[in-house]
Structures are given as C-alpha cells and as structure tokens.
Amino acid sequence: MTLKEIVERARKGAAVPIVERDVERALSALLASEDIWRVIDLSQVPVMALVRVLAALKDTGLLAWDGGRLVLTQRGREFAASLGIGPRLELKCPHCGGRGTFLGPVADIADKFKDIARNRPEAIQDYDQGYVTEETTLHRVAFMWSRGDLKGKELIVLGDDDLVSIAAALTRAPKRVVVLEIDRRLVDFIRDVARGEGLPIEVAQHDLREPLPPDIARGFDAFFCDPTESLRGFMVFAERGIAALKGPGAAGYLGLTHCEASYGKWREIQRFLLEAGAVIAELRDAFHDYVNWPYIDHMRSWPHLPVHRIPGREEIWYRSALIRIEVVDGPHIEERRYEGDIFSDEEAATT
Amino acid sequence: MTLKEIVERARKGAAVPIVERDVERALSALLASEDIWRVIDLSQVPVMALVRVLAALKDTGLLAWDGGRLVLTQRGREFAASLGIGPRLELKCPHCGGRGTFLGPVADIADKFKDIARNRPEAIQDYDQGYVTEETTLHRVAFMWSRGDLKGKELIVLGDDDLVSIAAALTRAPKRVVVLEIDRRLVDFIRDVARGEGLPIEVAQHDLREPLPPDIARGFDAFFCDPTESLRGFMVFAERGIAALKGPGAAGYLGLTHCEASYGKWREIQRFLLEAGAVIAELRDAFHDYVNWPYIDHMRSWPHLPVHRIPGREEIWYRSALIRIEVVDGPHIEERRYEGDIFSDEEAATT
C-alpha cells in the first residue's frame, strides 16, 4: 500500500481536489483522536475531501469505525509509522488559544458584549450563517486595534452575524461603524442595540450580490467580513470589501477555513487579492472558533460523515484563519453584479 | 498641516516608497515611546522610509529630538489627536510573545540547544548575518513540527546562522536535515556539532547565487530560510528553496521584515510565490526576534538615524514575520544564476 494508491482510490469520482498530503494530514489527525469532529479540526483537510480519504482508508483496511469512533487498525498504524507520520501536535499557546493576541483594553467591554450577545438571533442556513464565539469576536477587535485599524477609523462590516460592529463600537475607539447585512433580524438587532447603547453604528439592509450603495464605495479605512466560502461567494464579499476602501494604507479582514476551502482555492483567492492591489499583511490560521449552528445535521457534508454524532454547542471543530490585507496600489476593483446562488461549490460543506 | 503635506516633504528626493499610512504608523509609535529602537519596532515602517518621516515631522515642528529622545511637540500631539491616532498598542500575548505557539516536546531540547549556541560564530556583515534569539529558533521548530513539516521529513536549510538545523535535528523528529551555507565558520561549526551529538545533519558550503547541486533539487519535504531582504536577494533564497521541494504538499518557511521591506516589496514577493505554484498558508508577523549584531553602527541606515545609541544585545527592535508556503501546483520554478551583490536595494537598512 502506498499514499498514491490511497489518493487514487479517494479521488475516484471525486469532485474535489485530493492530494497525498491530505492523506498524511488525515493519518496524523487519526493518530491523535478517534472523534470525527476532532479529526476534522486536526486534519485541516476540506471536509468533502476528508470524507473520501476516510472511506479510502477504510476500504484498504487501515481504518475502522465501529461504535462511533474512528480507529486506525494495526495495519493503519504500521502504515503511518512506515511513512514517519506522528500524531498531530497543535502546540497552541494555551493562554491565547494560539491567536497570539491578548485583549488589553477590549477586556473592559467583554462582559457588556457577552450580555448583549445573549439575545442575538440564532444562525440560519438561508444565508450560510454560523457565528464565532464571543471570545473570538473580542480577540478580532483587539487584533484590529493593535494593527491601527480601529482607533479613529471608519470601519465597514459586510455581513455581521458575529456582531463585530457592536464589539468594535463598544470600545468607543472607531470614528464610524457601518454594517451592510442581508438578514432583517440582524439589521433590527444591531440597530436596536446601537440605539440602546448610544453606539455610532449605521446599519443598512443590503444584498451583497448587488454593488455597494454609491455613498459607501471608497469611503472606509477598514472592512471586516467573514465570507461564505464558495469561490464565487468569497469573491463577492472580497470585491465589495475592497471597493469600500479609501485607497493605499486601508485594510481589510477576511475569514477563510480549511473545512470548505482547499489550498488550491486559497491560492486563487490570494491571486485575486494581490491583483486587486492588496498585500497579504497577516494570515493567522485557526484564529476564529465557531459555535455550532442548529442546522448541523442538515448541512451538505452531514450524510457523507462516517459517524453521525451532533457535537455540543461549544465543542469547537469549525475554525477559520484571520487574513489581514492592506491596499498598496489602487484598489483596482471592478464591482460586478451577481445573480443566483453564491453559497455552493464542490468544496462547500455547511450550506 | 495635513498628512499629505508631511508625506510629500518626506518623499522629496527619497529613493524608497513612503505613504500616508507610514506617517500614521510613525505618529502612533511616537505616542507610545520616545526611544528610537522602540519607535522603529512599533511603527513597522521600513527604516529608510521612517528616518525620512521623522525628519519631515521635525521640519514641520511636530517632533523634536533633544537629549537622545524622540519627543512629539504639543503641536505634534494635537496633530495626531486631530487624526484620531492613538498610541500603538501591541496586544501580544505575554506568554508566547504573540507567536501563538508553545514549545511542547521542543522544550526538552531547549537547554541543550542553548548550551551549543553559546559557542556559535558571531554575526558578520559580509553575508548580511544577524541571528534570531534561541527562544525564537525553538519556537520556529515547534511551529514546523505542529504543521507536520518536521516529523519523518527531509528538511533543507538555506543559510543557517540561526542554527535551525541543529535545533531541528536535536528533536530527533526529522528523517534528514541538509544545510547549504556560504560561511565556512558556520559550515565547520554545524558539522562539528552534528558529529559530536550524532545528529543526522549534512552540511555543504554553497553560494546560493549558484543553482542547487543536482542531488539537492526536488529532494525535500520542507525548506527553511531567512533571506537577505533586497528584492533580488529574497528571490535568490526563495527560488532555491522552492526548487528544492519535491512537489505538491511540500512546504517552505521564509522570514520577512518591515525594517527592510515595504508592503510594496512584500506584494512583489507574494506574487512570485503564488506564480511559483505555492499558496501562502500562514503569515505570522513579528514571530522572529533578532539579537543585535556587533556591526550595528556600521549598517547602512545608521548615519540616517536621528539618535545614535547602540542598543543592548537583547534589546529587540529588529523582528521578522514567519511565512509558511505550501506547494499546490508544480513547483514552477526556473533556477537562475546570479552574479554580484544580492544584499542591497534602496530599502536595505542593515548591510
């Protein structure tokens, strides 16, 4: 048995890219955990590719899943050892969860933010929602502050089920915060909170498939968005975000996962960002932890999973990288109008 | 007074790019510290640009440097406040120094590594040397291990004044470690240590301006290098590193500073990496801390500094980002032969 044979078997009829390194990563994760959610998290292989790798490992007698656990067989362990593969080590700093940030002045608004978030609208599948933990949102705001993108700045948030606008505005650091959001429930919620707390947040209902309103384009120092991850959907968010920036020195923040995006897709996205005139200033993998959404057993990848256990609400397995870009030149962006579904591609796992 | 006027003044006759955001970053750093080395570190503006910004701030009466401190004048403070600029906040996790990693099993070799490093050859200007702290090298190895690029892998180090090869090999995790190094002193040092400790390190003296030896090309799972930072010099290292990789799934690590590289240069480098078939998998800014080198008062930027104080040996001001790339396609690389100086460009500050 070789890695190549396993990959070829996994690829048969597959619509997603699968490479040998994906098998290595899966084996390394399987050596560290027998739990499906932990294996997804540790492997960092797109879910729709991982399920095929797991099936190929089972077919070849290297893996078994009886009783709800993913168990490498004796042959599976020997195979991994023969390739020099060890159990995946995370080595994340236990104090900051590997993010590298500490909250500093953002800690002062933590309790207030958590209080407010207690009444947030629940995530729904219609808009591919799924929000990050409150801790994550707070670290995100601290990160932006430390990079000079918050204090005295005009910030736009494109889609805000994470309530970044509220956490940012609570710090009283930004000059202005604007939210474009498609979901009426969130528009109303953020608007009500802003009114109640006297926060400088302007919220408009907007479908990002449409170009930005003219008073928004080219008006901001920074944007934040956590795009849907089909390639097309990601581009919609990135295009609108970049089009909202004033020019060189303005910054953008985007989230990007492994669960729904191969490194091939990452690379296409990065080429687009560079062509638009931006540089990738930082890329911190697994910065964002997501709270499990209520429609988890209705997501696209669910029927393909080898084990069907619904994870606990804060049993984190879905994470995303935090990418910070900065405009060097331009931005060079042509806003297009999109139609139809922007949520799906072959690698999509949650919609 | 506007940001634009200050930038225009700073740009007059300048050979390096300077943007408005550089002035913002400088002001933010000056609000946080009056010490030249701390201001360089906090501003994240290339040194050769920063010195011109500082001069422009002085010329316009916003900054003074008497008695060796950089002091914003009352007008300078009012100007910063009018733009909403606050003191730079680092918000680095104090436990991991903002790196996000913890050493895990690498901690077991820390004492041994520090013992060995005590006798290392000192950094010299001939090859633009300047090594990172031992703590940094250990975190680097932990990072590589956690990303699956160490255990059971074949690793090549291109230029190794940081002694990465020794730290990596001491963990006994890699299958093979190869070093290409131009400096005879380092070749001998690493070879002697490897012999004495029984480490699987092969060292060859090699000038990276020359293409890789044929037995090296396409033979490795991962490369590590901390390039000299002229654009040309960076490309030399990156080209050789990528040419040494086996193919898709293989990874490369590179260091990159703000001190000697503008975001414009970063962007050119990133375009090159993507075109070579790689994706930027991670980019952790300020991961690497450097020990001050003995030739600091002979470096290129020294005469341009407003204050001439030699910093203490471990008074960190020069840092670099850790970039991890992974080959998605190819790699597509054509190895060129270089001649002459690869250390200098207009943004170079230390050679």
Side-chain angles (χ1 to χ4, degrees), chain B residues 91-312:
Chain B
L91 304 186
K92 286 181 183 180
C93 170
H95 301 279
C96 62
R99 297 186 182 98
T101 40
F102 98 110
L103 292 181
V106 178
D108 299 340
I109 61 122
D111 289 343
K112 181 89 192 169
F113 177 66
K114 288 174 188 171
D115 264 0
I116 291 170
R118 209 161 284 142
N119 301 311
R120 69 198 307 165
E122 192 42 272
I124 51 174
Q125 195 166 15
D126 305 33
Y127 306 118
D128 189 26
Q129 288 172 353
Y131 49 78
V132 298
T133 63
E134 280 120 38
E135 194 70 10
T136 297
T137 297
L138 294 167
H139 273 276
R140 208 183 247 178
V141 170
F143 191 94
M144 296 176 78
W145 199 337
S146 68
R147 271 57 182 177
D149 296 323
L150 197 71
K151 173 87 177 65
K153 299 290 186 176
E154 299 185 77
L155 170 67
I156 186 165
V157 184
L158 304 169
D160 196 18
D161 54 338
D162 294 335
L163 311 181
V164 175
S165 60
I166 294 174
L170 279 172
T171 66
R172 308 284 165 175
K175 186 169 161 193
R176 181 187 182 208
V177 181
V178 171
V179 178
L180 298 185
E181 170 58 57
I182 194 169
D183 184 350
R184 190 75 244 170
R185 301 173 312 148
L186 278 162
V187 169
D188 290 341
F189 180 78
I190 296 169
R191 197 174 276 161
D192 287 350
V193 169
R195 205 168 287 147
E197 302 289 334
L199 301 174
I201 307 177
E202 304 154 41
V203 198
Q205 193 174 20
H206 183 80
D207 180 339
L208 288 173
R209 290 176 300 180
E210 298 296 318
L212 295 175
D215 58 319
I216 292 293
R218 289 280 193 164
F220 293 83
D221 300 299
F223 75 83
F224 190 92
C225 66
D226 195 1
T228 185
E229 297 215 352
S230 72
L231 185 58
R232 192 158 171 267
F234 196 97
M235 295 309 189
V236 170
F237 279 76
E239 245 180 65
R240 303 292 175 242
I242 294 170
L245 296 180
K246 287 178 184 171
Y253 290 85
L254 309 109
L256 183 57
T257 71
H258 293 292
C259 278
E260 307 202 67
S262 64
Y263 273 138
K265 196 197 277 186
W266 279 42
R267 183 164 166 250
E268 281 192 71
I269 287 167
Q270 292 179 355
R271 291 172 96 137
F272 168 80
L273 296 171
L274 292 178
E275 273 162 34
V279 66
I280 296 163
E282 303 195 49
L283 197 167
R284 293 195 169 234
D285 207 358
F287 190 97
H288 299 133
D289 298 344
Y290 292 75
V291 176
N292 285 311
W293 41 91
Y295 60 87
I296 201 155
D297 54 344
H298 289 84
M299 68 181 184
R300 182 163 178 260
S301 55
W302 179 264
H304 303 280
L305 295 179
V307 171
H308 291 100
R309 177 177 73 77
I310 294 185

Side-chain angles (χ1 to χ4, degrees), chain A residues 19-21 24-25 44 83-106 141-143 145-149 151-153 173 221 248-251 258 263-264 266-267 270-271 273-286 324 326 328-329 332, chain B residues 19-21 24-25 44 83-106 141-143 145-149 151-153 173 221 248-251 258 263-264 266-267 270-271 273-286 324 326 328-329 332:
Chain A
V19 294
E20 292 179 21
R21 184 90 200 234
E24 270 188 59
R25 283 195 250 261
Q44 303 195 299
L83 296 169
I85 297 170
R88 167 85 205 276
L89 292 177
E90 283 191 298
L91 304 187
K92 286 181 184 180
C93 169
H95 300 280
C96 62
R99 298 184 182 99
T101 41
F102 99 110
L103 292 180
V106 178
V141 170
F143 190 95
W145 200 337
S146 67
R147 271 58 182 177
D149 296 323
K151 173 86 177 66
K153 299 290 186 175
D221 300 298
H258 293 292
Y263 273 137
W266 279 44
R267 183 165 166 249
Q270 293 179 354
R271 292 172 93 137
L273 296 171
L274 293 178
E275 273 163 32
V279 66
I280 297 163
E282 303 195 51
L283 197 168
R284 293 196 169 235
D285 207 357
R324 178 179 186 268
E326 190 167 314
V328 172
D329 195 38
H332 309 293
Chain B
V19 295
E20 293 180 19
R21 185 88 200 236
E24 271 188 58
R25 282 195 251 258
Q44 303 195 303
L83 296 169
I85 296 170
R88 169 85 205 276
L89 293 177
E90 283 191 298
L91 304 186
K92 286 181 183 180
C93 170
H95 301 279
C96 62
R99 297 186 182 98
T101 40
F102 98 110
L103 292 181
V106 178
V141 170
F143 191 94
W145 199 337
S146 68
R147 271 57 182 177
D149 296 323
K151 173 87 177 65
K153 299 290 186 176
D221 300 299
H258 293 292
Y263 273 138
W266 279 42
R267 183 164 166 250
Q270 292 179 355
R271 291 172 96 137
L273 296 171
L274 292 178
E275 273 162 34
V279 66
I280 296 163
E282 303 195 49
L283 197 167
R284 293 195 169 234
D285 207 358
R324 178 179 186 269
E326 191 168 314
V328 171
D329 196 36
H332 310 293

Side-chain angles (χ1 to χ4, degrees), chain B residues 9 11 40 42 123-124 166 188 198 206 213 229 248 304 316 338 342:
Chain B
R9 185 180 283 265
R11 275 187 193 144
I40 292 174
L42 288 173
I124 51 174
I166 294 174
D188 290 341
H206 183 80
E229 297 215 352
H304 303 280
I316 311 295
Y338 293 83
I342 60 164

